[in-house]
Amino acid sequence: QQQLEESGGGLVQPGGSLRLSCAASGFTFTKFAMSWYRQAPGKDRELVALISASGETIKYGEAVKGRFTIARDNANNAVYLQMNSLNTDDSAIYYCRADWAYTIWGQGTQVTVSS
């Protein structure tokens, strides 16, 4: 079964940090570009960060540039999102996504930034 399982979400104060993890299973991880998306209540799902299959190409959404870092570990079939300087606008459900000839989505993990 092809799966993506996110973890690491939670409640954090403004200015704080979180590290999200996404564990992949059931498919050839190294063929897939990996990305993080997020969706806040009442808003469209938006791209947060993307990393190519080789890791050579990385892109960030404008709202997170300079604060978030995406990385992948092909040996362990995982992708990570380090989130620093969090603010309330970063509160959302964060989804992991894999893209190749088809797309796989994870179930999401909630991130809440609040004092």
Side-chain angles (χ1 to χ4, degrees):
Q1 185 178 0
Q2 298 173 340
Q3 281 189 313
L4 296 171
E5 185 172 358
E6 302 95 336
S7 61
L11 175 64
V12 62
Q13 292 187 340
S17 297
L18 279 176
R19 183 179 187 240
L20 304 183
S21 299
C22 173
S25 60
F27 60 96
T28 306
F29 183 74
T30 53
K31 291 185 176 181
F32 285 71
M34 299 299 298
S35 53
W36 289 94
Y37 281 73
R38 68 184 183 186
Q39 188 167 21
K43 295 187 177 181
D44 293 335
R45 194 170 294 190
E46 65 173 352
L47 175 68
V48 175
L50 176 149
I51 185 166
S52 64
S54 67
E56 293 181 354
T57 299
I58 291 176
K59 296 181 180 179
Y60 294 99
E62 286 297 322
V64 307
K65 281 183 180 178
R67 300 187 297 123
F68 290 13
T69 303
I70 189 171
R72 66 187 295 155
D73 181 352
N74 283 347
N76 290 299
N77 291 355
V79 63
Y80 307 99
L81 185 70
Q82 177 66 43
M83 307 187 293
N84 299 329
S85 302
L86 287 161
N87 58 60
T88 55
D89 290 338
D90 296 316
S91 295
I93 299 174
Y94 283 71
Y95 297 91
C96 182
R97 170 174 154 164
D99 287 283
W100 178 49
Y102 51 93
T103 298
I104 306 167
W105 285 95
Q107 292 298 307
T109 185
Q110 177 72 49
V111 172
T112 302
V113 184
S114 175
S115 56

